[in-house]
Amino acid sequence: MSSSRRATDLYSAVFIEIFQTPGRVVELFEFDHHMRQIFTDGRQHPKDPDLTWMGDSIGWYEGDTLVVDTIGLNDKTWIDRGGLPHSDQLHVTERIRRPASDALEINITIDDPKAYTKTWSGYRNFKLRPTWNIKEFICADNSDYNEEFINKSGAYNSSNPSKQHAKPAKPNK
């Protein structure tokens, strides 16, 4: 999830802290120190959003589920660690809920008419780790973890390397 391949692969990160303030939900990612703001104050997306790495996210609650709608993502990122591409027309909808006090479930819908012939979806499940803290993450400091994370992602041994835009850089040791 280096900044050159980052957007909808948000939830490939293992260490995420999410907190809510009035009018906003904030996600802090340990990997690369990314921060994402999801505005829950009733605003709409801008008519012509600037294209950014994290996009423009607005959210609202439907019962116990936070629905997040994101547009305005640049096309310099991947959808996942394996290199699935997307265009600047990517529209992501997430449905985030806690099915149990120690669990987080995120259902993700991907709509990108320039990159895919139909809408598709996936999900991520997380376990609450109340004793873990977001730490400073510098590539050199966590090189053993980085290498293990990248190797487990399958990015180096993709079954279809022609669909992979670029091989992630191996961390320096």
Side-chain angles (χ1 to χ4, degrees), residues 28-79:
L28 297 176
F29 299 88
E30 183 174 83
F31 203 109
D32 276 351
H33 299 263
H34 289 285
M35 178 191 76
R36 178 183 184 208
Q37 298 183 88
I38 302 164
F39 293 97
T40 57
D41 58 4
R43 72 179 69 185
Q44 299 298 307
H45 290 297
K47 296 217 184 297
D48 187 21
D50 291 331
L51 300 181
T52 63
W53 297 98
M54 302 300 273
D56 183 78
S57 298
I58 58 173
W60 60 92
Y61 282 91
E62 292 179 359
D64 66 350
T65 301
L66 174 62
V67 179
V68 180
D69 188 85
T70 303
I71 63 168
L73 294 151
N74 66 37
D75 63 357
K76 299 174 184 173
T77 61
W78 293 345
I79 288 179

Side-chain angles (χ1 to χ4, degrees), residues 95-160:
R95 300 183 67 79
I96 304 169
R97 68 183 204 90
R98 292 182 73 173
S101 63
D102 66 344
L104 185 71
E105 173 185 279
I106 305 174
N107 289 293
I108 305 163
T109 301
I110 304 291
D111 182 33
D112 188 340
K114 285 170 91 176
Y116 300 100
T117 58
K118 63 181 181 176
T119 300
W120 54 280
S121 60
Y123 67 93
R124 292 296 311 236
N125 291 315
F126 294 94
K127 182 169 179 60
L128 178 65
R129 307 283 189 197
T131 61
W132 288 7
N133 295 308
I134 297 288
K135 295 186 178 176
E136 183 177 68
F137 189 96
I138 306 299
C139 288
D141 287 349
N142 293 317
S143 63
D144 290 338
Y145 168 76
N146 287 346
E147 187 168 343
E148 179 183 355
F149 182 81
I150 290 170
N151 288 337
K152 284 183 177 178
S153 75
Y156 289 128
N157 53 9
S158 171
S159 61
N160 194 349

